[in-house]
């Protein structure tokens, strides 16, 4: 059994999608970010970064894994699903997973912060992070012009990592209307039953974003 520590944010949704898609049994532990559950000492022992998501594998000597990309790889290897075994296929999926982890997540996360939450509207910061998010989406669009999924012909953990972020493009103030291939892929991924279930776990409840931001927490980063 997997203990899954998460909240209602895109990095958490990546893992709920994977657990649902791969049909891996898990216990859900919903952390309330606005109450700073993620900064408690007990939690820092399993996630030194004090953020969600984290898993603890009760069937592997309580092995803890933090960082959503590392969790996806761990679960793919454990289940034998959604990560090809051949060297090239595996590397291709990991390349697109890293592209999400190092590009889309951090850049779009900053677009959320400066566009939605920052008390001052700093045009330079808003423009910079929205433009960079759009540029990264354009890279996805080009990739998806010739490939059904990010890893190629097969749906993989790279798609699971990217979908919950692009699904929030409006929240970042970035349009995907002109990115036809990205929109086609969004529709295909959204229709998967595991994705529909995963995107609703845990159920959304309004976090006290304003209060949390004042205290230095980035709920959607
Ligand atoms: N690189 C980390 C990022 C995790 C992250 O930023 N999580 C956010 C929610 S999506 C969080 O826990 N925020 C709470 C806080 O900033 O205190 C990962 O991919 O796991």
């Amino acid at each position: 059994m997997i203990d899954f520590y998460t909240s209602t944010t895109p990095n958490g949704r990546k893992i709920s999608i994977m657990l649902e898609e791969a049909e891996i049994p898990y216990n859900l532990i919903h952390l309330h970010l606005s109450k700073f559950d993620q900064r408690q000492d007990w939690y820092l022992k399993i996630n030194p970064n004090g953020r969600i998501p984290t898993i603890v594998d009760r069937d592997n000597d309580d092995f803890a894994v933090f960082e959503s990309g590392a969790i996806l790889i761990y679960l793919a290897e454990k289940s034998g699903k959604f990560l090809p075994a051949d060297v090239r296929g595996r590397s291709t999926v990991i390349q697109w997973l890293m592209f999400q982890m190092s590009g889309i997540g951090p850049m779009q996360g900053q677009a959320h912060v400066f566009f939605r939450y920052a008390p001052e509207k700093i045009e330079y910061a808003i423009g910079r992070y929205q433009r960079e998010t759009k540029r990264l989406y354009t890279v996805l669009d080009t990739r998806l012009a010739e490939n059904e999924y990010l890893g190629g012909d097969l749906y993989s953990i790279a798609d699971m990592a990217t979908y919950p972020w692009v699904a929030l493009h409006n929240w970042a103030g970035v349009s995907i209307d002109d990115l036809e291939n990205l929109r086609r892929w969004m529709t295909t991924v959204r229709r998967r039953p595991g994705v529909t279930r995963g995107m609703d776990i845990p159920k959304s409840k309004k976090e006290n974003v304003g209060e949390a931001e004042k205290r230095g927490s980035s709920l959607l980063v």
Side-chain angles (χ1 to χ4, degrees):
M1 184 68 91
I2 298 286
D3 285 350
F4 171 38
Y5 296 81
T6 191
S7 194
T8 56
T9 70
N11 286 321
R13 302 294 194 209
K14 298 172 186 175
I15 311 305
S16 43
I17 290 172
M18 176 61 177
L19 289 165
E20 290 292 324
E21 290 273 28
E23 300 182 331
I24 299 169
Y26 62 97
N27 298 316
L28 179 75
I29 299 123
H30 183 169
L31 298 190
H32 294 280
L33 302 184
S34 55
K35 294 185 186 149
F36 293 94
D37 292 347
Q38 74 280 18
R39 307 275 175 90
Q40 304 302 311
D41 288 345
W42 66 267
Y43 185 70
L44 294 175
K45 292 199 174 93
I46 55 171
N47 185 326
N49 194 29
R51 295 202 158 192
I52 64 95
T54 308
I55 61 164
V56 176
D57 187 349
R58 297 294 175 203
D59 301 324
N60 189 8
D61 283 334
D62 294 348
F63 185 62
V65 189
F66 77 111
E67 280 297 319
S68 57
I71 297 172
L72 286 171
I73 294 172
Y74 182 85
L75 293 174
E77 287 177 340
K78 186 179 167 80
S79 64
K81 294 177 181 166
F82 303 117
L83 180 60
D86 67 288
V87 173
R88 289 173 67 127
R90 181 183 160 84
S91 171
T92 304
V93 167
I94 291 178
Q95 288 169 51
W96 287 100
L97 175 63
M98 294 300 157
F99 178 78
Q100 187 288 316
M101 291 294 296
S102 62
I104 293 176
M107 293 302 120
Q108 187 176 335
Q110 294 308 312
H112 292 165
V113 167
F114 286 105
F115 183 57
R116 294 281 171 187
Y117 305 137
E120 302 161 60
K121 293 294 164 222
I122 306 166
E123 289 308 323
Y124 181 82
I126 295 170
R128 172 178 162 73
Y129 291 117
Q130 287 182 333
R131 273 193 306 278
E132 183 60 2
T133 302
K134 180 73 181 222
R135 189 189 69 77
L136 295 164
Y137 285 178
T138 305
V139 175
L140 293 176
D141 190 68
T142 304
R143 169 72 180 164
L144 293 166
E146 302 209 337
N147 295 276
E148 179 78 2
Y149 297 105
L150 291 173
D153 295 339
L154 298 177
Y155 175 71
S156 74
I157 54 174
D159 303 292
M160 298 183 206
T162 308
Y163 175 82
W165 281 92
V166 182
L168 280 178
H169 66 90
N170 279 334
W171 190 246
V174 178
S175 169
I176 60 167
D177 287 353
D178 56 331
L179 302 177
E180 196 184 313
N181 308 298
L182 184 61
R183 283 195 287 109
R184 186 265 307 152
W185 170 86
M186 288 293 285
T187 305
T188 307
V189 174
R190 183 187 306 118
R191 286 191 181 138
R192 296 180 65 91
V195 172
T196 308
R197 290 196 303 278
M199 287 296 283
D200 204 30
I201 296 170
K203 289 242 175 274
S204 289
K205 257 202 284 154
K206 209 165 164 24
E207 296 273 358
N208 189 346
V209 173
E211 185 53 30
E213 281 295 318
K214 264 188 253 155
R215 294 164 66 186
S217 180
S218 298
L219 297 182
L220 284 170
V221 184

